[in-house]
Amino acid sequence: MKKNDKRFITHIWPEMICAKLIKTSGESMQPLIVNGAKLTLTACKPSGLSPGDIALIRQNNHLIAHRIVFRQKYGNKLYLGHKGDNALAIVLAPAKDILGKVAQIHSIPEGVLYLDGKFWRWINRILGLYWSFIWLIFKLAYKPKTPEQNPIYLPFSSIHQKILKLLLSLGLKKNPVKEKFTHQQVISACINKQPLSPTCLFMEKKEWEEFLKAVKLYNIQGFCYSYLNRYKKMAPPYVLTELGKFAHATGFHNMKINSELKRLLQTFQKIGIEVILLKGVALLQQVYPNPIQRRMRDIDFLIRKTDLPKVEAELSKMGYKADEKDGINSKWYRKYSIKINYYKSGKTDYKIDVHWGFERYNNPFPISYEEIWGRSQKIEQNGTTFRLLSAEDMLLHLSMHMVFQHCLRLDTRAWLDIIHIIRLKPDWDKVILLAGQYKLESIVYVALHIANKLANVEIPQRVLKKLRRSFRHSLVKKLDNRITGFNIQAPRLETWWRLKLIKGWRARIIYLGSILYPSRDELSILENFNSNSLIAYLIHLLKYYVFIVKKTKRKSTLNNSCYAKNLITPS
């Protein structure tokens, strides 16, 4: 089998050829290696080759894949005799021209043949011994004393051809591995950081188009691009080009966000305010080494609530304005929420979420923020000083954000954040302790359970077992039913879902009461009515009822679209 592209020839060494893929042309190794098949190669020394092995050999400015027949020394130099299964001549090659060993043959329609498997090792040994025996007979007749007296041409009769076809056809029938590689398997390889199977070379164009749609739906284009870029010869150029456009735009966008973040940190440092970076800006510091892997939507950071007036004053000087969503004024956010959103319009729109907590005032989780500040790590970087949550606190925060606050409605990119935090190997004993102390066992269990389903992450079973005690056994199966491929079906009734996650009936009743029957002061701010007016409560209940109906009827673009139902099917 010859390879005509000379670019493969000049600088290939055995230690560099591990897992290389080479496309073949020619008929010298038929029926085992057909024209157009692709070979997976592994590094191998000439002394490690046995008769019957198929090796990649450099010969006359070509690469050929032939079967090794024998090893012979002429003087102090080692030569290996090789022959094509469909060729007449046994040719000698110096040991230095042996580049590697063929481990897999990817051909259509046979699929993938694993030559390092037990069955094919026996077939190759039999073929090697057969040709060695034939060569030994003709060696006694020709008696070559120098390599120049080779090649030896063997009479290739119809009997030989029938014997070979019988052995090879037996191998093709016994051990075909017909792998139909799907776009879901490519996504799984990206998320799990596993070597990409060479069978993806035979993926149809339709599958690659489905892959592009899926990664766009999951919002992981940059992450998949950084992975596939290491396997350029396995993915079609148009796929890498499409992903590359988004990835480079993400990198440029993140650079602008980082520039604004540096400006903010320097401003807060001057007035003596400490901040803890959260979510995207923190994850890019800790788990994503390449800025193209995750796009930042906004800047999230945690401050002490006593520093809020100073922070608001500085943000106002920098041109930021409070974002009053749904007509709710910033007074309600300051008193009853845990964050205020700020925005600044211009050539680049910047959004900032200023947090002083993880959940609203009515949350049933006794979180100690002073302890969180104490466990945070101080970082000095590029002339700025900031803090990052410990791996354990970051896992708790992201679990609350995904499972309780957003009720599983975020995309796969957000779950990828949790998967990466788990790969940081947090102190699991501390995770169990903090989850129990803050009454977050059910929330953390759901996050870990889903992460474990989506990717191959190392979570000790004892951790899942302890956290699962607070999560009803009947709900585990329902939770598994929500996981389809890389998609998580969000619950329609968010309040009902949150009540399931709260520990204790008393805490659930208090939480539900705070939603249906808020305090008069909060209601007067929300509805802009007199705090003593009964109409304000009725309007509030009516709005909440309309909100629930809309949530129930609403079909999420990610979870309920016709495309997602057809696309996200377990492969």
Side-chain angles (χ1 to χ4, degrees):
M1 305 299 294
K2 295 184 178 181
K3 171 67 182 168
N4 295 321
D5 193 348
K6 296 183 180 180
R7 290 177 297 174
F8 282 92
I9 297 173
T10 311
H11 301 292
I12 292 187
W13 315 120
E15 62 270 17
M16 295 172 60
I17 204 167
C18 183
K20 281 278 186 181
L21 278 161
I22 291 184
K23 189 175 180 180
T24 62
S25 62
E27 301 176 352
S28 64
M29 281 295 290
Q30 285 188 357
L32 184 63
I33 304 177
V34 298
N35 188 25
K38 296 181 176 69
L39 309 179
T40 301
L41 308 169
T42 57
C44 183
K45 295 181 179 179
S47 58
L49 292 170
S50 302
D53 289 335
I54 300 175
L56 185 73
I57 305 162
R58 179 170 43 228
Q59 179 178 316
N60 299 329
N61 291 333
H62 291 296
L63 296 183
I64 59 174
H66 273 183
R67 192 179 300 280
I68 300 298
V69 176
F70 63 89
R71 291 183 294 180
Q72 179 72 43
K73 273 194 173 183
Y74 290 95
N76 295 326
K77 294 184 179 180
L78 178 65
Y79 289 83
L80 285 89
H82 59 88
K83 179 189 180 301
D85 290 340
N86 196 33
L88 298 177
I90 294 180
V91 183
L92 288 182
K96 64 179 182 179
D97 289 339
I98 305 297
L99 302 179
K101 179 181 176 181
V102 177
Q104 297 174 13
I105 301 171
H106 308 266
S107 57
I108 300 174
E110 285 78 14
V112 185
L113 298 177
Y114 296 92
L115 300 185
D116 49 1
K118 186 176 180 180
F119 181 83
W120 270 106
R121 282 204 303 268
W122 278 104
I123 292 291
N124 288 334
R125 291 296 169 269
I126 294 171
L127 289 171
L129 291 172
Y130 172 79
W131 284 121
S132 296
F133 176 72
I134 299 295
W135 171 79
L136 184 61
I137 294 174
F138 281 86
K139 179 185 176 184
L140 295 174
Y142 281 90
K143 296 181 181 180
K145 295 181 180 179
T146 62
E148 286 74 18
Q149 295 180 11
N150 287 277
I152 300 173
Y153 290 91
L154 305 180
F156 197 71
S157 65
S158 59
I159 297 175
H160 295 146
Q161 196 169 15
K162 287 178 181 178
I163 292 172
L164 284 173
K165 285 189 176 181
L166 178 64
L167 287 171
L168 294 174
S169 62
L170 180 64
L172 292 174
K173 289 178 182 177
K174 274 278 186 182
N175 193 33
V177 184
K178 296 185 178 180
E179 295 186 12
K180 186 178 179 181
F181 213 69
T182 64
H183 67 277
Q184 290 286 354
Q185 289 173 291
V186 178
I187 296 172
S188 178
C190 294
I191 290 178
N192 292 309
K193 297 183 178 181
Q194 294 174 340
L196 194 62
S197 172
T199 49
C200 73
L201 287 165
F202 301 107
M203 271 179 59
E204 297 177 357
K205 185 177 180 181
K206 182 181 178 182
E207 280 293 329
W208 281 112
E209 290 173 353
E210 292 297 310
F211 169 78
L212 289 174
K213 291 179 183 178
V215 295
K216 184 177 180 181
L217 190 70
Y218 300 150
N219 198 16
I220 53 174
Q221 300 102 307
F223 186 81
C224 290
Y225 173 76
S226 66
Y227 173 82
L228 289 177
N229 203 36
R230 294 181 293 173
Y231 299 91
K232 291 182 178 179
K233 293 179 183 177
M234 296 191 187
Y238 75 90
V239 172
L240 292 173
T241 302
E242 189 71 22
L243 293 177
K245 289 179 183 178
F246 180 87
H248 293 123
T250 296
F252 183 70
H253 172 78
N254 287 347
M255 285 175 61
K256 292 192 290 184
I257 293 288
N258 277 325
S259 177
E260 183 68 9
L261 174 63
K262 183 178 180 180
R263 184 166 165 247
L264 287 166
L265 292 174
Q266 288 174 343
T267 302
F268 295 151
Q269 192 172 341
K270 288 179 183 178
I271 59 177
I273 294 177
E274 285 189 311
V275 299
I276 298 178
L277 301 185
L278 302 175
K279 301 179 186 176
V281 288
L283 290 165
L284 284 178
Q285 300 290 336
Q286 285 187 295
V287 300
Y288 293 104
N290 194 333
I292 69 172
Q293 292 183 342
R294 189 192 190 279
R295 187 180 182 88
M296 290 187 290
R297 293 174 179 169
D298 50 21
I299 299 174
D300 294 83
F301 55 82
L302 181 72
I303 63 169
R304 293 181 174 89
K305 194 171 183 179
T306 53
D307 292 331
L308 182 59
K310 292 182 181 179
V311 170
E312 287 189 302
E314 290 299 324
L315 290 177
S316 179
K317 291 178 184 178
M318 297 174 71
Y320 284 93
K321 297 179 181 179
D323 186 8
E324 298 184 353
K325 292 182 179 179
D326 302 323
I328 302 175
N329 59 45
S330 56
K331 181 181 177 182
W332 180 87
Y333 284 110
R334 292 185 186 90
K335 194 168 183 179
Y336 294 104
S337 185
I338 44 86
K339 70 173 183 177
I340 299 181
N341 302 325
Y342 291 88
Y343 69 94
K344 182 172 70 172
S345 300
K347 292 183 179 180
T348 304
D349 293 338
Y350 295 107
K351 294 181 180 180
I352 297 177
D353 287 353
V354 180
H355 299 252
W356 53 89
F358 294 158
E359 276 300 327
R360 285 183 55 193
Y361 74 98
N362 62 344
N363 78 79
F365 312 116
I367 298 174
S368 173
Y369 292 103
E370 286 304 319
E371 292 180 0
I372 289 175
W373 277 93
R375 289 190 294 268
S376 63
Q377 304 169 1
K378 191 173 183 179
I379 307 292
E380 293 183 2
Q381 190 179 88
N382 298 328
T384 61
T385 303
F386 55 89
R387 288 183 173 272
L388 293 175
L389 293 174
S390 65
E392 297 79 23
D393 287 328
M394 187 172 284
L395 179 59
L396 297 182
H397 174 230
L398 291 178
S399 299
M400 292 178 65
H401 180 69
M402 283 290 299
V403 179
F404 191 81
Q405 185 178 350
H406 287 280
C407 298
L408 312 179
R409 290 192 182 277
L410 295 183
D411 49 38
T412 307
R413 186 207 63 177
W415 289 108
L416 199 59
D417 296 340
I418 293 180
I419 290 168
H420 277 84
I421 293 299
I422 295 171
R423 286 176 178 155
L424 291 178
K425 297 182 179 180
D427 186 340
W428 291 111
D429 292 325
K430 188 178 286 187
V431 170
I432 294 171
L433 179 65
L434 294 175
Q437 182 181 339
Y438 299 153
K439 298 182 179 180
L440 298 171
E441 296 102 318
S442 296
I443 294 173
V444 177
Y445 171 76
V446 171
L448 295 181
H449 182 80
I450 293 176
N452 198 31
K453 291 283 185 180
L454 295 179
N456 298 327
V457 288
E458 296 180 4
I459 304 174
Q461 288 300 316
R462 62 179 181 84
V463 177
L464 293 172
K465 189 175 180 180
K466 286 186 178 180
L467 294 173
R468 185 176 176 174
R469 291 173 184 171
S470 58
F471 196 69
R472 284 164 46 189
H473 182 75
S474 59
L475 296 176
V476 177
K477 189 174 181 180
K478 293 181 180 179
L479 179 62
D480 289 338
N481 292 335
R482 294 186 179 278
I483 305 171
T484 310
F486 296 100
N487 181 48
I488 314 298
Q489 184 181 4
R492 291 189 174 183
L493 293 174
E494 293 184 356
T495 304
W496 183 249
W497 168 256
R498 292 190 181 107
L499 289 175
K500 293 177 182 178
L501 298 171
I502 296 172
K503 188 176 180 179
W505 283 103
R506 184 174 180 274
R508 292 172 185 169
I509 293 171
I510 293 173
Y511 177 78
L512 185 61
S514 67
I515 295 174
L516 298 177
Y517 194 79
S519 66
R520 291 183 177 182
D521 181 56
E522 181 183 2
L523 196 62
S524 64
I525 297 173
L526 281 172
E527 308 300 344
N528 200 21
F529 276 114
N530 189 320
S531 60
N532 295 321
S533 174
L534 180 62
I535 298 175
Y537 283 102
L538 295 176
I539 291 175
H540 173 75
L541 289 175
L542 182 62
K543 281 186 176 181
Y544 185 74
Y545 173 76
V546 172
F547 172 79
I548 292 295
V549 170
K550 284 183 178 180
K551 284 281 185 181
T552 304
K553 291 184 177 181
R554 186 182 69 181
K555 292 188 175 181
S556 171
T557 304
L558 177 63
N559 298 310
N560 299 302
S561 66
C562 296
Y563 168 71
K565 285 182 179 179
N566 295 326
L567 168 74
I568 311 169
T569 304
S571 55

